[in-house]
Amino acid sequence: MSIIGSAVLLLLGAIIGFVPNLLLERTKQRHAVRTRWDVPLFELCKQFTASARQVVHLARRLDRAPDRPSQVEKLDEKHAELRGLSEQVRLLGSSELQEAARLVIHHCYAVRATAEGQPDARAKDYADPPEKRMKDAIRAFLIASRRQLGVGNPQDVNADEVLADEPWKTS
């Protein structure tokens, strides 16, 4: 009986050690699957936002550029980069994030058109000027990014407004 008792205790010990280990490994695997896209998504969202800001920056300085053709070429390159990044957002992003990226692209065209002296083709659809719409779209993109990345309080993104006493404020 002692051999059977020892075997039972040995088997029970093995089960007690195996089950928690198995559960821990499954938990680790689920966590890895859930978070494996977080770093690439973070980097993509960071690049997308920076590119959008650069398009606006280049467009706003188009009329003051000493070499307008060179400035237009830079603007074209940055705009193409932004559109390429938006396609990557379609790969990794939730539908909310994809829609936010689409609106950034949408308003980016309006910012560029007005900077090039063309009318805002969608002015009748919106109450705000293109740059304000662009800032709001970028904020919505940041919120959607934070939500997908699991950041606490994803909507806690300050509005991008120029303060009244800043010397570069344009009216």
Side-chain angles (χ1 to χ4, degrees), residues 36-54:
R36 73 175 160 203
W37 298 114
D38 284 0
V39 172
L41 180 65
F42 169 75
E43 290 298 325
L44 174 60
C45 291
K46 186 172 70 170
Q47 287 177 310
F48 183 84
T49 305
S51 289
R53 297 268 185 205
Q54 289 170 347

Side-chain angles (χ1 to χ4, degrees), residues 69-132:
S70 174
Q71 185 79 353
V72 169
E73 185 177 328
K74 288 178 191 175
L75 182 56
D76 283 340
E77 289 171 6
K78 195 49 70 175
H79 207 164
E81 178 184 314
L82 181 65
R83 289 191 309 270
L85 290 169
S86 75
E87 289 302 313
Q88 292 178 42
V89 169
R90 292 179 66 194
L91 265 174
L92 296 178
S94 64
S95 60
E96 177 190 15
L97 187 59
Q98 291 175 50
E99 179 62 20
R102 190 189 67 75
L103 285 175
V104 169
I105 297 289
H106 175 80
H107 295 306
C108 204
Y109 278 108
V111 168
R112 183 173 181 175
T114 57
E116 291 174 339
Q118 301 169 23
D120 178 8
R122 294 188 176 89
K124 64 185 179 305
D125 300 331
Y126 300 99
D128 294 322
E131 283 194 37
K132 168 80 167 93

Side-chain angles (χ1 to χ4, degrees), residues 19 22 40 47-48 58 89 106 130 139 141-142 148 163 170:
V19 171
L22 179 66
Q47 287 177 310
F48 183 84
L58 291 169
V89 169
H106 175 80
R139 183 173 185 272
F141 180 82
L142 291 171
Q148 185 170 343
L163 301 176
T170 59

Side-chain angles (χ1 to χ4, degrees), residues 57-72 74:
H57 176 81
L58 291 169
R60 288 185 70 197
R61 282 146 184 77
L62 197 56
D63 62 338
R64 298 184 303 233
D67 182 9
R68 185 177 169 100
S70 174
Q71 185 79 353
V72 169
K74 288 178 191 175

